[in-house]
């Protein structure tokens, strides 16, 4: 029996942060033993918000290093740059022909981006979900490991897949699902008490895998907290709940329980909670920092990995695009 196909990617718009890791990358690593996996670096998508990048190759190379440092294995998975797979762009064009302005304008991430940057509302931003659908469907993937914020994009991917199948009366594409081993999709909160960790909440609210221990400590100690509970077992305000969410991902269950009990007894001191969280984050990220430093130095190996990934991804993409061209009726 053939294995399920997995596909996902991350935009190279900086260093990877704990949101990327716990929302997506951790699962990439787990999935590669069981499935046929395609993991790419979304260096076309980054142009939607960073139209004139000074160093797009270096940005992508940096993410490749961080993928490897987190445990992605180029022998077991296909790891490639999105820009090395032009078949994706052809599929994007076909999907765009059947994607409607109204549905694209309603996408939450589009509306957010318009609000954040009203001077750069470009067509790439509007059609972000069709490019994403093309990324996934070019390999006919069925499982897509992503964080909670990508749920709507996956819904759109299914819409475009289904629409293509029914317009052309073909059973061409599967209907892919966001995947987190049967659990809810993850949302790692920002340190400022609101929103999700990531660039849009600002670097001070985001812990990057590359952050030095002193930087991590400083960011955590500045995280927003309240004055503390005044009644036993009272509900935690959002900023405290967020610190507990972060504690749950980097600390032991005993530690979480310890602080939870202190909170419920009104004995918690937020400074102690933050100190513990900072130390556990420093310990958690330490091995990544070490491996990133080692892997960055070997340019020849990185090039070989990119070449291998391109070759493997190309094989799968070519099959799909040949079939799609045939279904639509183009000359092959
Ligand atoms: P991007 O680059 O914004 O984020 C990459 C992955 O990290 C997850 N993530 C988070 N998860 C939980 N909590 C957070 N705070 C957090 N921040 C980021 C995202 O959910 C995502 O899984 N559109 C994608 C890139 C992409 C893609 C694709 C993904 C392009 N084509 C095809 C899957 C399949 C994006 O912008 O991710």
């Amino acid at each position: 029996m053939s294995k399920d196909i997995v596909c996902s990617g991350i935009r190279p718009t900086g260093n990877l942060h704990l949101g990327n890791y716990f929302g997506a990358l951790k699962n990439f690593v787990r999935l590669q033993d069981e499935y046929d996996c395609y993991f790419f670096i979304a260096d076309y998508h980054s142009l939607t918000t960073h139209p004139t990048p000074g160093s797009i190759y270096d940005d992508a190379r940096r993410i490749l290093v961080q993928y490897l440092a987190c445990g992605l294995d180029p022998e077991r998975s296909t790891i490639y740059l999105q820009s090395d797979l032009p078949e994706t762009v052809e599929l994007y064009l076909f999907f765009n022909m059947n994607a409607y302005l109204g549905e694209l304008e309603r996408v939450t991430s589009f509306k957010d981006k318009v609000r954040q940057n009203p001077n750069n509302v470009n067509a790439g931003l509007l059609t972000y979900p069709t490019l994403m659908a093309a990324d996934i469907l070019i390999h006919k993937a069925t499982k897509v490991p992503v964080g909670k914020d990508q749920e709507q994009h996956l819904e759109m991917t299914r819409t475009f897949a289904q629409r293509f199948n029914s317009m052309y009366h073909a059973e061409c594409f599967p209907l892919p699902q966001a995947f987190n081993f049967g659990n809810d999709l993850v949302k790692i909160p920002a340190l400022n008490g609101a929103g999700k960790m990531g660039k849009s909440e600002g670097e001070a609210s985001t812990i990057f895998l590359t952050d030095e221990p002193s930087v991590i400590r400083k960011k955590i100690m500045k995280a927003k907290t309240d004055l503390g509970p005044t009644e036993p077992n009272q509900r935690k305000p959002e900023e405290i709940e967020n610190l507990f969410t972060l504690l749950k991902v980097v600390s032991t269950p005993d530690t979480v329980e310890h602080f939870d009990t202190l909170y419920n007894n009104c004995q918690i001191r937020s400074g102690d909670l933050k100190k513990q969280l900072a130390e556990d984050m420093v310990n958690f990220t330490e091995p990544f920092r070490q491996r990133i430093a080692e892997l960055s130095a070997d340019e020849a190996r990185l090039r070989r990995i990119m070449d291998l990934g391109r070759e493997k991804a190309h094989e799968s993409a070519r099959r799909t695009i040949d079939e799609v061209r045939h279904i639509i009726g183009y000359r092959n």
Side-chain angles (χ1 to χ4, degrees):
M1 212 174 75
S2 66
K3 287 182 185 173
D4 273 359
I5 298 173
V6 170
C7 176
S8 194
I10 297 182
R11 282 172 303 144
T13 52
N15 288 306
L16 296 184
H17 52 75
L18 291 185
N20 296 138
Y21 183 78
F22 288 108
L25 198 44
K26 185 174 174 221
N27 283 345
F28 295 3
V29 176
R30 272 181 78 188
L31 284 160
Q32 59 186 346
D33 285 327
E34 274 178 69
Y35 299 103
D36 188 4
C37 291
Y38 294 86
F39 298 121
F40 61 93
I41 296 157
D43 58 351
Y44 282 143
H45 269 112
S46 50
L47 294 184
T48 59
T49 50
H50 298 69
T52 54
S55 53
I56 193 128
Y57 172 73
D58 289 345
D59 293 344
R61 178 193 187 279
R62 191 171 55 241
I63 299 302
L64 174 62
V65 166
Q66 295 179 19
Y67 272 4
L68 300 173
C70 289
L72 282 194
D73 174 355
E75 299 297 329
R76 283 180 291 160
S77 296
T78 299
I79 307 171
Y80 64 98
L81 308 192
Q82 189 185 29
S83 61
D84 272 338
L85 206 61
E87 289 85 350
T88 308
V89 184
E90 191 172 352
L91 190 59
Y92 169 57
L93 179 137
F94 295 141
F95 286 150
N96 275 336
M97 298 300 174
N98 304 321
Y100 303 111
L101 183 61
E103 63 187 344
L104 294 170
E105 280 177 334
R106 278 196 296 277
V107 175
T108 312
S109 62
F110 175 69
K111 291 195 278 192
D112 286 346
K113 290 284 179 330
V114 171
R115 223 173 296 124
Q116 286 158 12
N117 204 347
N119 297 323
N120 184 27
V121 185
N122 60 69
L125 205 55
L126 181 73
T127 56
Y128 191 110
T130 51
L131 180 53
M132 194 160 150
D135 289 328
I136 296 167
L137 294 168
I138 197 73
H139 301 299
K140 300 196 176 189
T142 51
K143 291 185 165 55
V144 187
V146 283
K148 179 109 185 103
D149 59 320
Q150 299 298 313
E151 216 163 22
Q152 195 182 20
H153 288 153
L154 262 294
E155 224 175 279
M156 302 282 291
T157 298
R158 288 191 290 278
T159 301
F160 298 132
Q162 188 140 44
R163 191 173 292 159
F164 184 95
N165 290 349
S166 75
M167 284 178 87
Y168 293 103
H169 308 289
E171 283 298 309
C172 181
F173 293 118
L175 305 183
Q177 301 285 342
F179 184 77
N180 184 23
F181 294 93
N183 301 315
D184 288 345
L185 299 182
V186 171
K187 176 187 161 187
I188 299 294
L191 295 173
N192 59 3
K196 65 172 171 117
M197 188 175 280
K199 281 290 174 54
S200 49
E201 292 299 330
E203 302 216 342
S205 290
T206 300
I207 303 288
F208 296 96
L209 293 178
T210 45
D211 278 347
E212 291 295 329
S214 60
V215 175
I216 295 179
R217 291 191 184 103
K218 213 192 254 160
K219 286 182 180 176
I220 300 279
M221 293 319 282
K222 282 194 175 156
K224 194 171 169 210
T225 42
D226 66 347
L227 293 172
T230 50
E231 283 172 40
N233 302 316
Q234 87 181 49
R235 197 161 161 230
K236 298 183 184 84
E238 191 181 5
E239 61 269 24
I240 302 298
E241 194 62 63
N242 287 351
L243 291 184
F244 273 89
T245 301
L246 292 168
L247 200 65
K248 278 181 200 145
V249 293
V250 292
S251 304
T252 63
D254 286 353
T255 307
V256 178
E257 201 185 313
H258 170 71
F259 283 98
D260 209 35
T261 307
L262 288 179
Y263 188 89
N264 287 332
N265 297 339
C266 303
Q267 288 172 328
I268 196 162
R269 292 207 314 230
S270 64
D272 293 344
L273 170 64
K274 288 194 206 175
K275 263 189 210 141
Q276 178 77 45
L277 181 59
E279 288 323 300
D280 289 342
M281 283 213 177
V282 166
N283 289 333
F284 176 79
T285 50
E286 181 62 35
F288 297 113
R289 275 192 301 280
Q290 274 181 18
R291 284 200 294 272
I292 287 168
E294 287 158 20
L295 288 158
S296 298
D298 196 344
E299 180 67 24
R301 175 158 181 260
L302 294 173
R303 292 264 178 189
R304 275 200 306 278
I305 291 172
M306 286 183 210
D307 289 345
L308 175 69
R310 177 175 54 193
E311 220 170 279
K312 290 202 283 182
H314 183 76
E315 219 179 282
S316 150
R318 199 63 246 165
R319 270 197 307 273
T320 306
I321 213 72
D322 283 348
E323 183 186 348
V324 166
R325 289 177 63 94
H326 175 76
I327 288 170
I328 298 177
Y330 287 109
R331 186 173 71 89
N332 263 328

